[in-house]
């Protein structure tokens, strides 16, 4: 039985909603709670930070479809963008001025890091958590007079120059497309399964085959699946973290259970041979 996964260009989702929300939103809510900010101010800070971070990522990841970007060299864009996104939200809520905000961004890049090889481990989630933490810290330091280069984003030897060669970057994402349209105007979508986004097609295909035919697991001789190992980089799932990045596990679990939800990515389920 063959099933063709509907075509979708996952590589274009360089700044998907789940990745931005995981560092900007926690930082926004934490600072807003500590300051007693209004709902309007909180939402505004989140929206502005989201928009700026989305467009900054597109500057650096402009050639991702061509496999020419920091991501394809092994960097994890959440790791290097998260501190900046969280900083922007915190600065807005703390009412820092333009100069202080620029300095805070300079401070935040001290913490920009992270590589894709950690996907499928607990360390992946730390990119967002640490980014939120460092962003708040950078804003407070800037308010107290701590210094960082206020031109860190655009200056030679700075953030964009270090991450993206001139023939890879596209600064028009900021100079011409900032808020044109707003990133949040597009429906960000929701994940249907507790797995890395490129794994959803693999799971969908497995469930479609399972639903379309009346068979038991004992009837299966072998399974062939064509999938992208760039994000689905774990060939075998040894724990619940690796399960969400392991296509063979996703296929097997979907076929066995006719489902792929939180119950299928527990430690017990992963080790159920």
């Amino acid at each position: 039985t063959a099933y063709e996964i509907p075509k979708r260009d996952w590589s274009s989702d360089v700044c998907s909603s789940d990745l931005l929300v995981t560092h900007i939103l926690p930082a926004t809510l934490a600072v807003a709670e500590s300051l007693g900010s209004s709902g309007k101010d909180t939402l505004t800070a989140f929206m502005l930070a989201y928009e700026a971070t989305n467009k900054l990522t597109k500057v650096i990841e402009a050639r991702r479809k061509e496999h020419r970007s920091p991501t394809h060299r092994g960097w994890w864009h959440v790791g290097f963008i998260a501190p900046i996104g969280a900083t922007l939200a915190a600065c807005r809520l703390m009412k820092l001025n333009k100069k202080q905000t620029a300095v805070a961004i300079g401070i935040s890049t001290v913490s920009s890091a992270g590589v894709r090889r950690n996907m499928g481990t607990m360390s992946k989630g730390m990119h967002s958590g640490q980014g939120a933490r460092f962003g708040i810290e950078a804003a407070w330091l800037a308010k107290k007079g701590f210094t960082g280069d206020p031109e860190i984003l655009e200056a030679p030897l700075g953030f964009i120059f270090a991450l993206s060669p001139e023939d890879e970057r596209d600064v028009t994402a900021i100079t011409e497309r900032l808020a044109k349209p707003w990133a949040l105007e597009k429906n960000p979508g929701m994940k249907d399964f507790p797995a890395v986004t490129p794994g959803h097609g693999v799971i969908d295909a497995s469930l479609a085959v399972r639903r379309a035919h009346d068979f038991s697991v004992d009837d299966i001789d072998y399974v062939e699946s064509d999938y992208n190992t760039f994000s689905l980089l774990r060939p075998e799932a040894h724990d619940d973290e690796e399960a969400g990045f392991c296509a063979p596990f996703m296929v097997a679990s979907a076929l066995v259970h006719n489902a792929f939800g939180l119950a299928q990515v527990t430690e017990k389920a992963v080790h159920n041979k």
Side-chain angles (χ1 to χ4, degrees):
T1 297
Y3 180 85
E4 183 176 354
I5 299 173
K7 297 294 184 182
R8 178 173 175 181
D9 183 13
W10 298 106
S11 65
S12 65
D13 297 333
V14 298
C15 216
S16 58
S17 61
D18 60 319
L19 303 183
L20 285 179
V21 170
T22 57
H23 49 86
I24 296 176
L25 186 59
T28 303
L29 294 177
V31 175
E33 182 179 10
S34 69
L35 298 177
S37 303
S38 68
K40 179 180 179 180
D41 287 345
T42 302
L43 183 58
T44 299
F46 171 76
M47 290 176 62
L48 292 175
Y50 188 109
E51 173 66 17
T53 309
N54 178 281
K55 294 302 195 288
L56 179 58
T57 304
K58 291 182 182 300
V59 170
I60 298 166
E61 294 281 311
R63 303 291 178 262
R64 183 171 180 177
K65 290 183 180 180
E66 304 167 20
H67 295 185
R68 297 168 57 230
S69 69
T71 291
H72 280 275
R73 288 189 288 275
W75 292 103
W76 177 226
H77 70 267
V78 174
F80 59 70
I81 207 72
I84 297 175
T87 296
L88 291 170
C91 286
R92 174 74 182 194
L93 288 168
M94 293 166 60
K95 303 186 187 308
L96 269 62
N97 60 35
K98 180 179 177 180
K99 181 178 179 180
Q100 289 173 315
T101 300
V103 168
I105 293 172
I107 298 170
S108 74
T109 60
V110 171
S111 307
S112 291
V115 293
R116 293 182 65 86
R117 189 63 197 179
N118 265 323
M119 296 174 75
T121 73
M122 293 180 181
S123 294
K124 176 181 179 289
M126 285 186 68
H127 293 109
S128 296
Q130 293 285 66
R133 169 195 164 191
F134 288 134
I136 296 172
E137 185 177 273
W140 279 108
L141 286 172
K143 186 174 183 178
K144 296 293 185 180
F146 200 86
T147 63
D149 193 317
E151 298 179 353
I152 199 72
L153 293 182
E154 67 270 28
L157 304 182
F159 185 80
I160 293 175
F161 277 70
L163 283 169
S164 187
E166 186 174 1
D167 63 343
E168 288 185 6
R169 70 181 85 111
D170 177 15
V171 297
T172 63
I174 289 178
T175 61
E176 298 178 18
R177 304 201 302 275
L178 192 64
K180 300 177 182 179
W182 288 74
L184 284 170
E185 288 184 32
K186 178 183 177 181
N187 183 358
M190 296 291 290
K191 282 190 172 182
D192 296 321
F193 309 109
V196 66
T197 302
H200 287 216
V202 175
I203 298 168
D204 274 332
S206 302
L207 292 176
V209 172
R210 191 74 172 84
R211 289 192 297 265
H213 304 280
D214 183 20
F215 63 89
S216 70
V217 175
D218 293 334
D219 295 326
I220 301 173
D221 293 325
Y222 64 91
V223 175
E224 291 185 2
S225 178
D226 183 16
Y227 58 90
N228 188 341
T229 58
F230 185 62
S231 293
L232 296 166
L233 74 171
R234 300 293 170 182
E236 185 175 354
H238 298 94
D239 55 39
D240 56 339
E241 294 288 343
E242 292 187 344
F245 295 83
C246 176
F249 174 81
M250 295 174 189
V251 172
S253 184
L255 291 176
V256 170
H257 300 288
N258 195 23
F260 196 92
L262 294 177
Q264 281 69 55
V265 291
T266 63
E267 285 288 334
K268 181 179 180 181
V270 170
H271 294 295
N272 181 7
K273 305 297 184 181

